[in-house]
Amino acid sequence: MLLDNSQFLTELMKLFQQQRLKNQGSVRLAMKQHTPYISKRRLRAAGVAAPTEEPAPGCLVRASLGNRKISALINSRDLSKFHVDFGNVIKASMDSLKKKDKKANKKTAAAAAAAAAPAASSGKSKSKQSKPAANTATPMQS
Amino acid sequence: MSSSAASGSSSKGQSAPAKPYLATWDEFAAATERLYHDNPTKTRLTVKYQHAEGLIVLKATDDKTIYKFRTDQLQDVKRLEKLTALLMRHMTSRGTTASHLA
């Protein structure tokens, strides 16, 4: 079903909520460039003159969950507002993912601990000496 | 994995495009942009989000080549948002339509 931008975003939010309630199924999103094209026959039937320049390309966005399908065509005019709202919907809805790995935190913690341990073992006196004379400290440490 | 996919596609000719899962987000993003610049009218990006499994699967294709990427990391949602914004901007600008191929 082709909707306008704001309707599309509302329906997209509903799709994500529905998925959360059922806790199954996948929300699929797709985007592709699409240039709206009206055939000359239709224009003649409508009695409108053909536009002189090529129509501006749009971005077709589709979303679906099971049987429900929605879509919207975004123009360059609506783009800035749409991608902000779209980003908000995405970030708010795709929340069942894992947060930053604890392994990464453990690695950094281990590295920090390893760095701290030799510094502590070398003694505080050395560190005090190294502060005023940084050049002499490096050969001492190596 | 990529080598076996390449050999598979060469033996079958052009009928079976390879489906490699890329290793990192940056690879996928770069590949998608490249694909779009080469073929703006045919390239499309697909995202499949599974809430129950907490998984996102991304696919970028121009009907000849396919790039896929899977993730379960929250930080990739933010990156996805940036990538989609970038692609939408490309798609709605006149510079990258068929006119530039003519």
Side-chain angles (χ1 to χ4, degrees):
Chain A
M1 188 190 324
L2 186 67
L3 307 166
D4 72 31
N5 297 3
S6 50
Q7 275 182 323
F8 176 79
L9 289 167
T10 326
E11 291 299 313
L12 181 62
M13 200 66 176
K14 285 187 194 169
L15 284 185
F16 278 116
Q17 284 167 353
Q18 202 175 344
Q19 185 191 35
R20 218 174 298 185
L21 281 172
K22 286 188 183 175
N23 206 33
Q24 67 172 11
S26 30
V27 174
R28 291 170 195 249
L29 295 160
M31 56 187 72
K32 189 189 160 160
Q33 185 187 65
H34 173 68
T35 315
Y37 172 75
I38 307 173
S39 68
K40 286 183 182 167
R41 184 151 41 114
R42 281 205 192 165
L43 287 171
R44 245 185 287 140
V48 177
T52 43
E53 60 174 33
E54 208 180 88
C59 176
L60 178 65
V61 187
R62 286 200 191 107
S64 72
L65 174 67
N67 283 331
R68 275 186 79 191
K69 295 179 185 175
I70 53 174
S71 61
L73 187 65
I74 322 293
N75 291 316
S76 53
R77 276 179 285 123
D78 313 323
L79 176 69
S80 37
K81 187 177 186 300
F82 181 80
H83 93 73
V84 168
D85 295 335
F86 183 70
N88 290 338
V89 171
I90 297 292
K91 279 186 272 195
S93 314
M94 294 186 166
D95 56 359
S96 71
L97 297 157
K98 293 181 196 164
K99 290 190 179 166
K100 214 165 189 181
D101 241 1
K102 282 184 182 177
K103 285 181 190 173
N105 290 338
K106 276 184 184 172
K107 274 184 185 172
T108 50
S121 60
S122 64
K124 289 182 181 178
S125 54
K126 274 192 176 178
S127 62
K128 279 183 181 176
Q129 286 174 7
S130 66
K131 273 181 186 176
N135 295 327
T136 52
T138 40
M140 281 170 70
Q141 285 172 7
S142 60
Chain B
M1 192 174 148
S2 55
S3 57
S4 64
S7 61
S9 61
S10 62
S11 63
K12 287 182 183 177
Q14 289 176 348
S15 57
K19 285 188 188 178
Y21 274 102
L22 295 175
T24 64
W25 175 270
D26 294 322
E27 277 181 37
F28 180 78
T32 307
E33 272 211 77
R34 220 186 317 132
L35 208 60
Y36 181 76
H37 280 289
D38 290 340
N39 211 335
T41 46
K42 284 209 158 187
T43 305
R44 64 178 186 276
L45 174 72
T46 302
V47 183
K48 181 161 83 170
Y49 169 65
Q50 292 170 318
H51 188 273
E53 277 103 77
L55 194 68
I56 309 182
V57 182
L58 296 131
K59 175 162 99 168
T61 177
D62 65 350
D63 298 329
K64 280 186 194 169
T65 335
I66 303 181
Y67 296 114
K68 294 186 97 168
F69 182 72
R70 299 169 72 115
T71 181
D72 56 359
Q73 297 295 317
L74 203 60
Q75 62 187 345
D76 288 329
V77 176
K78 216 180 287 179
R79 288 165 165 173
L80 171 68
E81 190 248 318
K82 287 199 181 132
L83 181 65
T84 50
L86 185 69
L87 278 177
M88 280 199 267
R89 192 162 293 128
H90 282 317
M91 287 175 181
T92 55
S93 71
R94 281 182 181 277
T96 50
T97 54
S99 56
H100 96 285
L101 293 169

